[in-house]
Amino acid sequence: MKAISLEGIHLLGTIDCEEAIVKRPDDVRIKIKSVGVCGSDIHYYRDGKIGVQVVKYPFVIGHEFSGVVEAIGSGVSRLKVGDRVSVDPSVSCGTCDQCLAGRPHTCRNNKFLGCPGQLEGCNKPYIVMPERNCYLLPDPLSFDEGMLVEPLSIGIYSTLSAGDVAGKHIGILGFGPIGMCVFQSLKMRGAASVFVSEPLANRRALALAQGADMVVNPLTEDVISVFNNALPLQQDIVFDCCGMQQAADQAINTLKPGGTFMIIGIPEFDNWAFQADLMRRKEITIKNVRRQNHCDQAAIDAISSGNVSMEGMISHRFHWSEAQKAYDIVANYRDNVMKVVLYFDE
Ligand SMILES: [Zn+2]
Ligand SMILES: [Zn+2]
């Protein structure tokens, strides 16, 4: 079976990889339908690494996908051949202290699709996954919406992790796909106002169209003074969805005393810097988000019920033979890109 492989910095190719065959009783074989290109895929594409996770070439990345069950192991009870599924790319061990504490996303033995040294990614036509990672897609949901369950689950988990957001004033720094998923989750959960900072014009327009209460361009406006002038008592919670140092500075300067800074973005640097004095006097809480925990079904329900809208998320669609072009568009923020999808049908 051919798969799309990372061959070097900014370079994709194809490799022959192992056929997707059901071997374990709890495995299902999935025909992959829709694969999203994620910001973290782009980190591997552009830098060859995320932190200590360094790519050894060639390597197959990709982790956001949906598909159809094609074969099932003897122990599979919930799914049947022909079922449409969204797939959680995180395979946890189920036995370590983290799994037993209900934190499979920080499992000591976690294996994540398309993560160097862990599992081969989903940029290929077929894959084998444990049944427990597969979530049935209700009929009205498209394969593209099924693929968006993974990023949306991160948005939902991030807002749940921030606590009660209802009636709160909130900032989002960065309105890429994850910023939008955080935004939609906040709206669903009753945030009083959401201010957005985003450098790309198309993404600012999307945030406005979805009902953001204020949208600023951090390249031409002073985010701190614009946010603070509009909201003199300042924000309850600020979400970093860009992984930039400025986000930390802006958050600490726009949060109210007792506020919370949620870090979702993946920085390209090794160390954050925080204004110690201001952060201490305001007693700011800083919380990191690692992917998501048990929010797959909530994401499916949110899309099916219409409580969130994924409208405007997908900006580009490509056959996988055009993967290099697709990745270049995302890596260079070209053509008003938001989420790019690859299709693996022959
Ligand atoms: Zn992702
Ligand atoms: Zn574990």
Side-chain angles (χ1 to χ4, degrees):
M1 172 174 64
K2 293 274 186 222
I4 298 171
S5 52
L6 265 183
E7 299 284 335
I9 300 292
H10 284 196
L11 187 63
L12 297 183
T14 53
I15 52 163
D16 282 310
C17 66
E18 226 185 286
E19 289 303 320
I21 295 165
V22 170
K23 289 176 185 153
R24 282 180 299 253
D26 65 331
D27 278 346
V28 301
R29 170 181 150 102
I30 298 164
K31 166 83 188 92
I32 293 179
K33 292 302 231 181
S34 174
V35 178
V37 179
C38 174
S40 60
D41 297 324
I42 295 301
H43 283 280
Y44 292 129
Y45 179 69
R46 202 167 43 204
D47 311 324
K49 65 177 177 108
I50 295 180
V52 295
Q53 291 163 337
V54 181
V55 173
K56 280 202 194 92
Y57 302 107
F59 183 62
V60 179
I61 56 174
H63 58 271
E64 299 176 355
F65 76 105
S66 63
V68 179
V69 174
E70 272 216 344
I72 58 174
S74 57
V76 169
S77 55
R78 198 168 45 81
L79 294 173
K80 58 183 191 310
V81 171
D83 278 347
R84 301 157 70 252
V85 289
S86 172
V87 182
D88 182 343
S90 176
V91 182
S92 51
C93 75
T95 55
C96 74
D97 65 320
Q98 294 295 300
C99 286
L100 295 177
R103 298 180 50 89
H105 61 309
T106 52
C107 167
R108 306 274 181 182
N109 311 303
N110 187 255
K111 290 191 164 46
F112 197 85
L113 289 187
C115 232
Q118 297 179 18
L119 295 172
E120 195 174 77
C122 65
N123 276 327
K124 55 193 178 188
Y126 299 92
I127 196 165
V128 169
M129 291 295 290
E131 179 188 31
R132 66 178 186 279
N133 283 64
C134 302
Y135 292 81
L136 200 59
L137 281 182
D139 268 341
L141 261 65
S142 66
F143 285 116
D144 285 345
E145 288 171 316
M147 171 276 291
L148 291 174
V149 164
E150 198 265 350
L152 180 59
S153 70
I154 295 171
I156 292 175
Y157 173 65
S158 304
T159 69
L160 288 173
S161 185
D164 186 8
V165 299
K168 299 283 172 67
H169 297 286
I170 292 170
I172 297 180
L173 308 175
F175 202 80
I178 290 295
M180 174 176 154
C181 288
V182 168
F183 177 84
Q184 286 291 329
S185 312
L186 288 171
K187 283 295 190 189
M188 172 172 73
R189 300 190 54 224
S193 72
V194 184
F195 290 4
V196 170
S197 164
E198 165 58 49
L200 298 180
N202 64 302
R203 296 179 179 188
R204 286 199 303 277
L206 190 58
L208 270 182
Q210 295 188 357
D213 297 275
M214 170 169 294
V215 180
V216 303
N217 178 354
L219 302 179
T220 59
E221 294 169 272
D222 177 1
V223 175
I224 296 172
S225 55
V226 176
F227 277 22
N228 286 342
N229 286 337
L231 197 66
L233 292 182
Q234 304 185 298
Q235 309 276 0
D236 296 286
I237 307 166
V238 173
F239 290 84
D240 154 57
C241 298
C242 60
M244 312 270 282
Q245 175 56 45
Q246 296 94 301
D249 304 331
Q250 290 159 356
I252 287 165
N253 283 279
T254 57
L255 278 165
K256 65 173 58 165
T260 301
F261 178 39
M262 301 293 300
I263 302 179
I264 332 289
I266 301 177
E268 283 176 9
F269 48 83
D270 292 327
N271 296 288
W272 285 100
F274 297 107
Q275 285 167 270
D277 185 51
L278 186 56
M279 191 170 68
R280 180 182 63 77
R281 280 186 288 118
K282 282 187 168 180
E283 202 178 47
I284 299 298
T285 298
I286 297 178
K287 209 163 176 189
N288 282 269
V289 168
R290 174 64 162 159
R291 298 174 185 146
Q292 63 96 15
N293 185 10
H294 288 123
C295 288
D296 315 77
Q297 192 58 49
I300 291 175
D301 295 344
I303 300 176
S304 343
S305 61
N307 285 339
V308 301
S309 165
M310 290 291 104
E311 186 92 23
M313 173 67 92
I314 295 176
S315 58
H316 295 70
R317 294 176 160 91
F318 289 105
H319 183 259
W320 67 311
S321 55
E322 294 191 285
Q324 178 88 55
K325 187 174 166 191
Y327 269 68
D328 277 335
I329 288 174
V330 189
N332 297 302
Y333 300 100
R334 278 209 308 268
D335 292 349
N336 293 328
V337 70
M338 193 66 178
K339 174 68 73 186
V340 172
V341 190
L342 296 175
Y343 298 106
F344 285 79
D345 282 322
E346 273 68 33

